[in-house]
């Protein structure tokens, strides 16, 4: 009987096994990006910018050029790379502490300059790598290691909806909020990220994909429970769907 | 030649441009030159001054403590620099805006530069009138050098602007070279001061 | 621009011309006095050279853009003045850690805090001991506009030679003043065609490569630091630069000063021709020419250190002299700039 290949590791994915926590969606999203890079045939012209946070090691898992950036600065590092080499496909991959807190100025101005870039924003409502501290995206009353009694909106403010914050900026062409909790939502996420890459290739402009992600370890939930929390609690505050799409 | 110049006035009077003009004249005649501006936080009306050093030798310090020539545009500038004047300093005062005599040492010549510029309906050219006075009084640079530099600095502007500036330049020179006029200004000023004292 | 020739130019503009001549094709900067002429002039000149000019939204963004530009192998620069340079310390450290070349210019003003906009040398410490982590940065301190141009050009070559950020440490006096200097548009950058194999230009026919400063595996960071340490040692051996002015066997007093203060010191020496006084001027303030200083001071009675701060380079002078000579310090603080006459007075009172 002849062997038929139904699925194999994308070339853009390295051979190194993922080291993320069991059930963490970082692995899933990394793989989606690698698949998209393969499908678009852009591995040799893709340059990624990794964040500070759990995904700082993203470069271990991708087989294309990747640079680190200081905490929050990925969008401006990506800006410089893209401006110097406009023919390359450049994206940043950032968590919520990185993008929505320390890197707020960088993301706002990069979006506002309308850089022809793709930004993948992983929102899991906490600082994962440093042990689960409160992030700007942490939900009201959510318990974290720096909000042990739950986020008090009176002193810590309300969670930031980054996608909606970027919506009015004229330089921004495409924003979609997705999640990766089940097969259907993962397929939708892939579609959105692929469109964000295509937008860059076809010079549409700045595209921003927010992926609601889980953090089983810091949330102290098993993977199934954590995905359920994304579906039922997070997605209630951070509404899934297309937020802006200008062609 | 070693000519240390300070020009002082207020922002908007063209103090820095006048410095640049003199520096360029020095360059044109083959000298070494430095030009050091003040750069205040305010764009207009703030205290403004520059130091220009013109020399046959390499210039080390672009800063001038005791100028060979001091060009003063207004009362505030005169107050600020009265103590930098030595017996050897040559002072050119714009009497249109300096009413009180505070610079008491040095050799001094007076010219109502702002009034002369105003009479030409070109008040902005008071600095060029002062430039003319400097050229006329010191004779350190050729008149043609000044005219050439002016042409270069106004390159790209219309010929009308050049002619008006040239006129201001020659009015300044003419005034300072006319002993009667200079003496007249001094006389009127002394009269005014005398009246004040009474 | 083509060809060479003498120009009468502002210090801040000379830096722009040098950078472009050295092949800088990326600039990001943020407005701050007294260096504004650099981004202003660059915004006009860089597009003429088909490079990228970006007005960044903060100094943090400027330096991180330079980081990004450097990852592509492009020659990149940012400029600022003291408070902005404080913000850039993060990026400088990341560049040193990731071994990325780049040029920074600090047109110093008075501090601390917002300070004022007058010329100052109060960022000496910050320049020679930058950022976090165990690293160094070659820092050149020009003293006239020719050097502003020449050393800015050199800085790009040195940055590429060592894959490390290089700083030009200057101040509002040299940035704002005008003077004649020779353009060398025909000067060729070193390593112009050197393949930057490490650069991220797309993984064509190869595996993806990385630019990182995070090295978490046990022992890896220590090994990286030791490798960098060898680089600092090479820099110390090869790149020390200084000027001796009127130093000979008869010299009785030695002034040590850098940048614009060295210039003012020469002005003072001109006024004190009867005194046998020489000047030692470090051009690289890191690596500091310690041995050369000690040698220059060998026969003198006393060493005078002049700075536009309250004694920062003074530490290095003392390290260099190893207690062999008495040292007198005179400094002006908070944006104060001394006249040559003030230095003469100090020398006369303390010789």
């Amino acid at each position: 009987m002849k062997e038929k290949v139904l699925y194999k590791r994308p070339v853009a994915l390295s051979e190194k096994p993922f080291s993320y926590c069991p059930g963490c969606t970082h692995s899933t999203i990394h793989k989606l990006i690698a698949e998209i890079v393969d499908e678009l045939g852009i591995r040799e012209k893709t340059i990624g910018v990794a964040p500070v946070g759990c995904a700082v090691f993203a470069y271990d898992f991708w087989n294309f050029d990747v640079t680190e950036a200081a905490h929050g600065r990925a969008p401006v590092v990506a800006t410089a790379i893209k401006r110097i080499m406009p023919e390359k496909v450049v994206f940043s991959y950032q968590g919520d502490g990185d993008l929505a807190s320390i890197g707020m100025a960088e993301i706002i101005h990069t979006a506002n300059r309308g850089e022809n870039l793709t930004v993948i924003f992983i929102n899991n409502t906490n600082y994962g790598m440093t042990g689960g501290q409160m992030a700007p995206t942490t939900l009201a009353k959510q318990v974290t290691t720096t909000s042990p009694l739950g986020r008090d909106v009176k002193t810590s403010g309300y969670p930031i909806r980054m996608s909606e914050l970027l919506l009015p900026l004229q330089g921004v062409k495409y924003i979609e909020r997705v999640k990766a909790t089940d097969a259907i939502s993962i397929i939708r996420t892939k579609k959105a990220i692929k469109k964000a890459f295509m937008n860059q290739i076809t010079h549409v402009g700045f595209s921003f994909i927010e992926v609601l992600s889980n953090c089983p370890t810091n949330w102290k939930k098993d993977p199934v429970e954590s995905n359920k929390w994304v579906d039922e609690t997070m997605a209630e505050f951070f509404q899934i769907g297309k937020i802006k799409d200008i062609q | 030649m070693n000519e240390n110049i300070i020009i002082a006035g207020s922002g908007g009077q063209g103090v820095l441009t006048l410095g640049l003009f003199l520096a360029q004249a020095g360059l044109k005649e083959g000298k070494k030159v430095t030009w050091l501006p003040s750069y205040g936080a305010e764009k207009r009306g703030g205290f403004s001054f520059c130091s220009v050093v013109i020399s046959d030798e390499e210039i080390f310090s672009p800063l001038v403590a005791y100028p060979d020539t001091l060009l003063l545009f207004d009362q505030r500038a005169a107050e600020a620099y009265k103590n930098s004047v030595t017996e050897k300093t040559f002072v050119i005062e714009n009497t249109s805006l300096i009413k009180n005599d505070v610079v008491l040492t040095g050799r001094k010549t007076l010219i109502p530069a702002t009034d002369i510029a105003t009479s030409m309906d070109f008040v902005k050219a008071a600095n060029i009138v002062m430039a003319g006075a400097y050229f006329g009084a010191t004779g350190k640079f050729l008149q043609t050098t000044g005219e050439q530099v002016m042409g270069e600095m106004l390159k790209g502007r219309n010929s009308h602007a050049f002619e008006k500036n040239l006129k201001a330049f020659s009015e300044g020179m003419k005034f300072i070279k006319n002993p009667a006029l200079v003496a007249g200004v001094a006389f009127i000023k002394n009269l005014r001061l005398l009246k004040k004292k009474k | 621009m083509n060809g060479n020739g003498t120009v009468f130019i502002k210090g801040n503009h000379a830096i722009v011309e040098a950078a472009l001549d050295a092949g800088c094709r990326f600039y990001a900067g943020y407005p701050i006095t007294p260096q504004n002429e650099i981004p202003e002039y660059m915004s006009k000149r860089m597009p003429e050279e088909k490079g990228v000019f970006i007005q960044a939204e903060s100094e943090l963004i400027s330096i991180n853009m330079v980081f990004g530009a450097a990852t592509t192998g492009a020659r990149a620069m940012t400029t600022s003045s003291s408070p902005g340079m404080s913000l850039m310390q993060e990026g400088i450290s990341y560049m040193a850690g990731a071994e990325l070349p780049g040029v920074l210019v600090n047109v110093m003003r008075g501090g601390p805090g917002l300070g004022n906009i007058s010329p100052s040398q109060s960022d000496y410490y910050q320049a020679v001991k930058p950022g976090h982590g165990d690293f160094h940065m070659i820092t050149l301190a020009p003293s006239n506009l020719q050097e502003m141009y020449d050393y800015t050009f050199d800085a790009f070559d040195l940055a590429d030679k060592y894959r490390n950020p290089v700083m030009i440490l200057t101040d509002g006096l040299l940035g704002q003043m005008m003077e004649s200097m020779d353009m060398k548009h025909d000067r060729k950058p070193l390593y112009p065609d050197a393949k930057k194999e490490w650069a991220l230009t797309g993984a064509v026919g190869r595996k993806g490569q990385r630019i990182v400063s995070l090295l978490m595996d046990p022992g890896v960071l220590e090994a990286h630091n030791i490798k960098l340490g060898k680089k600092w040692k090479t820099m110390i051996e090869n790149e020390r630069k200084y000027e001796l002015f009127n130093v000979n066997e008869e010299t009785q007093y030695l002034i040590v000063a850098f940048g614009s203060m060295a210039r003012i010191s020469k002005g003072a020496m001109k006024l004190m021709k009867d005194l046998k006084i020489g000047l030692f001027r470090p051009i690289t303030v890191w690596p500091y020419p310690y041995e050369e200083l000690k040698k220059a001071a060998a026969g003198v009675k006393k060493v005078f250190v002049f700075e536009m701060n309250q004694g920062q380079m003074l530490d290095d002078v003392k390290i260099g002299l190893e207690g062999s000579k008495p040292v007198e310090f005179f400094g002006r603080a908070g944006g104060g700039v001394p006249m040559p006459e003030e230095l003469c007075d100090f020398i006369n009172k303390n010789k």
Side-chain angles (χ1 to χ4, degrees):
Chain A
M1 198 177 119
K2 210 178 163 191
E3 243 182 48
K4 194 180 167 197
V5 178
L6 292 174
Y7 185 83
K8 60 173 187 166
R9 184 177 51 77
V11 181
L13 202 63
S14 80
E15 287 166 34
K16 187 169 177 168
F18 286 119
S19 51
Y20 294 109
C21 302
C24 171
T25 40
H26 267 315
S27 320
T28 313
I29 301 159
H30 282 17
K31 193 188 74 173
L32 292 182
I33 290 171
E35 286 176 6
I36 291 163
V37 166
D38 270 19
E39 286 164 22
L40 297 176
I42 54 172
R43 192 193 76 85
E44 295 188 340
K45 60 174 190 176
T46 297
I47 296 174
V49 184
V52 172
C54 292
V56 65
F57 295 117
Y59 45 70
D60 283 344
F61 312 115
W62 286 322
N63 178 23
F64 45 78
D65 284 1
V66 186
T67 182
E68 252 172 42
H71 204 193
R73 321 291 176 226
V76 300
V77 169
T79 296
I81 295 171
K82 182 71 181 181
R83 291 280 195 107
I84 290 172
M85 305 184 298
E87 72 286 1
K88 304 288 191 249
V89 180
V90 184
F91 75 97
S92 75
Y93 183 104
Q94 305 173 259
D96 45 357
D98 189 270
L99 182 139
S101 187
I102 195 168
M104 182 60 102
E106 283 74 6
I107 190 63
I108 294 271
H109 288 298
T110 302
N112 192 50
R113 272 186 259 107
E115 302 292 343
N116 187 23
L117 290 171
T118 305
V119 175
I120 313 295
F121 170 46
I122 309 300
N123 177 1
N124 63 8
T125 71
N126 78 110
Y127 286 79
M129 194 186 223
T130 45
Q133 294 82 4
M134 184 178 68
T137 45
T138 297
L139 296 180
K141 294 181 185 159
Q142 187 181 339
V143 172
T144 71
T145 58
T146 50
S147 57
L149 303 176
R151 180 177 188 153
D152 181 353
V153 295
K154 283 192 194 125
T155 53
S156 303
Y158 291 88
I160 292 177
R161 294 183 178 100
M162 282 308 300
S163 291
E164 284 79 358
L165 193 66
L166 296 178
L167 170 64
L169 300 179
Q170 286 165 287
V172 179
K173 300 303 175 193
Y174 174 47
I175 305 173
E176 184 158 353
R177 186 182 284 121
V178 292
K179 57 182 184 170
T181 52
D182 54 29
I184 293 172
S185 65
I186 290 170
I187 290 167
R188 285 190 182 138
T189 296
K190 183 173 173 184
K191 215 177 132 198
I193 296 176
K194 196 168 184 177
K195 181 176 158 77
F197 273 86
M198 275 310 293
N199 276 355
Q200 187 180 155
I201 293 164
T202 57
H203 307 283
V204 170
F206 187 85
S207 301
F208 184 86
I209 306 300
E210 175 174 349
V211 189
L212 301 187
S213 304
N214 62 0
C215 186
T217 302
N218 288 320
W219 291 355
K220 300 181 174 55
K221 291 178 171 31
D222 69 38
V224 176
E225 276 174 17
S226 71
N227 279 340
K228 202 173 155 214
W229 196 78
V230 171
D231 287 335
E232 292 174 2
T233 311
M234 258 184 97
E236 195 190 348
F237 183 80
F238 298 107
Q239 291 281 312
I240 299 293
K242 206 174 272 182
I243 289 162
K244 189 173 191 178
D245 189 4
I246 298 169
Q247 285 301 318
Chain B
M1 179 195 222
N2 196 27
E3 167 82 334
N4 295 293
I5 306 168
I6 288 177
I7 308 166
S10 298
Q13 289 175 342
V15 167
L16 303 185
T17 311
L18 172 54
L20 211 52
F21 179 76
L22 300 184
Q24 305 261 34
L27 275 179
K28 190 132 279 224
E29 298 199 2
K31 310 292 179 196
K32 304 263 192 250
V33 170
T34 60
W35 173 86
L36 178 70
S38 66
Y39 44 98
E42 306 123 313
K43 267 292 195 201
R44 296 279 178 272
F47 188 56
S48 173
F49 67 94
C50 64
S51 328
V52 177
V53 181
I54 303 170
S55 177
D56 293 319
E57 294 167 22
E58 187 188 346
I59 299 162
F60 298 130
S61 172
L63 302 157
V64 177
Y66 304 105
D68 300 305
T69 307
L70 177 65
L71 291 98
L72 296 172
F73 274 71
D74 58 21
Q75 194 68 46
R76 181 168 52 171
E79 299 282 355
Y81 279 94
K82 61 185 178 193
N83 296 328
S84 307
V85 179
T86 69
E87 296 296 323
K88 288 186 282 180
T89 308
F90 178 58
V91 185
I92 304 177
E93 269 191 18
N94 173 20
T95 52
S96 308
L97 299 175
I98 302 176
K99 303 297 180 196
N100 299 328
D101 233 358
V102 291
V103 178
L104 303 171
T105 39
R107 294 178 295 123
K108 196 150 82 170
T109 192
L110 308 174
I111 178 168
T114 308
D115 293 335
I116 293 172
T118 308
S119 74
M120 293 171 57
D121 204 18
F122 193 22
V123 67
K124 270 165 66 184
N127 61 337
I128 303 300
V129 176
M130 290 288 272
Y134 175 87
F135 271 65
T138 67
K140 287 192 193 271
F141 301 105
L142 297 171
Q143 183 178 348
T144 50
T145 303
E147 289 165 2
Q148 265 180 28
V149 169
M150 196 178 296
E152 283 162 18
M153 286 177 78
L154 292 170
K155 203 161 67 185
R157 308 265 286 274
N158 61 33
S159 60
H160 184 62
F162 177 64
E163 276 154 29
K164 275 183 91 172
N165 276 286
L166 209 58
K167 177 99 192 314
F169 185 60
S170 76
E171 287 298 319
M173 276 189 105
K174 239 183 353 202
F175 186 93
I176 220 79
K177 281 184 169 172
N178 187 332
L181 284 175
V182 176
V185 174
F187 177 74
I188 293 166
K189 192 167 176 181
N190 287 338
L191 211 65
R192 209 164 42 208
L193 286 173
L194 224 65
K195 269 188 197 161
K196 237 186 196 169
K197 274 179 193 163
K198 278 176 187 171
Chain C
M1 281 196 196
N2 297 313
N4 300 319
T6 304
V7 289
F8 184 58
I9 194 168
K10 210 173 204 197
N12 284 337
H13 291 167
I15 284 168
V16 173
E17 289 298 339
L20 295 173
D21 284 345
C24 173
R25 290 299 175 268
F26 185 93
Y27 173 91
Y30 184 79
I32 182 169
T33 309
Q35 62 87 55
N36 293 318
E37 292 83 0
I38 303 178
E40 283 171 359
Y41 187 49
M42 194 61 103
S43 70
K44 172 179 169 282
R45 287 285 287 118
M46 186 59 99
E48 290 171 5
E49 303 295 337
K50 313 242 178 309
V52 179
F53 167 88
I54 302 180
Q55 178 167 330
E57 294 84 3
S58 73
E59 289 88 350
L60 270 173
I61 294 182
S62 302
I63 186 70
N64 282 287
M65 282 183 170
V66 167
F67 179 103
T71 66
T72 71
R75 284 191 159 184
M77 175 169 85
T78 183
T79 63
S80 189
S81 180
S82 309
M85 213 39 82
S86 294
L87 282 178
M88 290 191 189
Q89 298 303 310
E90 171 193 274
I92 297 171
S93 170
Y94 276 76
M95 288 177 76
E99 295 196 81
L100 288 174
V103 173
L104 299 101
V105 179
N106 183 356
V107 185
M108 289 183 280
R109 58 187 258 179
L114 204 47
N116 62 19
I117 58 173
S118 296
S120 172
Q121 296 183 323
S122 51
D123 294 352
Y124 183 89
Y125 281 154
Q126 189 177 240
V128 302
K129 295 174 168 60
H132 67 277
D134 200 358
F135 81 97
H136 288 289
M137 170 172 69
I138 297 177
T139 301
L140 295 150
S143 190
N144 58 40
L145 295 214
Q146 188 66 53
E147 291 186 349
M148 292 279 261
Y149 177 86
D150 290 344
Y151 296 157
T152 301
F153 196 120
D154 289 346
F156 283 93
D157 284 346
L158 289 167
D160 275 352
K161 182 175 176 184
Y162 293 105
R163 284 184 61 184
N164 204 59
V166 174
M167 179 178 277
I168 298 293
L169 186 66
T170 181
D171 62 39
L173 189 140
L174 287 161
Q176 293 292 323
M177 71 177 278
M178 288 181 84
E179 187 170 45
S180 295
M181 52 148 272
D182 293 327
M183 292 274 204
K184 297 164 186 166
H185 295 305
D186 297 339
R187 180 177 167 186
K188 295 274 176 284
L190 295 176
Y191 330 104
D193 308 315
K195 271 251 159 57
K196 293 179 175 174
E197 301 282 356
W198 48 266
L200 304 186
T201 53
V204 179
R206 59 162 168 80
K207 285 190 171 175
Q209 58 193 26
R210 287 90 197 72
I211 285 175
V212 302
S213 64
L214 179 72
L215 301 162
M216 293 279 271
D217 291 336
V220 176
L221 182 61
E222 184 169 17
H224 177 63
N225 269 272
I226 289 167
K227 186 188 123 191
L228 295 182
K230 286 182 184 149
K231 192 157 89 173
W232 317 140
K233 220 177 146 197
T234 318
M235 290 178 186
I236 292 169
E237 277 163 15
N238 297 339
E239 309 303 342
R240 294 190 313 270
K241 227 179 168 126
Y242 61 95
E243 183 200 0
L244 291 174
F245 183 75
N246 282 0
V247 178
N248 52 46
E249 281 160 11
E250 291 179 359
T251 307
Q252 292 190 327
Y253 300 99
L254 187 72
I255 298 174
V256 188
F258 73 96
S260 49
M261 194 55 145
R263 235 189 129 116
I264 300 166
S265 300
K266 284 181 183 173
M269 288 162 70
K270 202 173 162 185
L271 299 172
M272 311 183 82
K273 278 188 176 143
D274 48 333
L275 211 61
K276 288 178 175 130
I277 188 158
L279 171 76
F280 181 86
R281 174 170 73 95
I283 294 170
T284 50
V285 287
W286 197 94
Y288 199 88
Y290 293 118
E291 292 157 37
E292 293 81 357
L293 168 64
K294 197 177 179 190
K295 209 176 138 203
V300 307
K301 279 194 212 164
K302 203 174 232 184
V303 173
F304 290 97
V305 179
F306 295 150
E307 295 180 75
M308 273 143 58
N309 59 47
Q310 296 187 76
Q312 299 190 10
M313 184 189 64
L314 180 60
D315 294 354
D316 281 321
V317 172
K318 286 180 176 171
I319 291 171
L321 294 175
E322 297 178 306
S324 61
K325 296 287 163 185
V327 177
E328 295 281 355
F329 174 77
F330 175 81
R332 287 287 303 270
V337 181
M339 293 290 171
E341 287 81 355
E342 278 178 80
L343 304 183
C344 295
D345 283 352
F346 184 84
I347 293 169
N348 280 326
K349 279 183 196 143
N350 296 283
K351 68 183 180 204

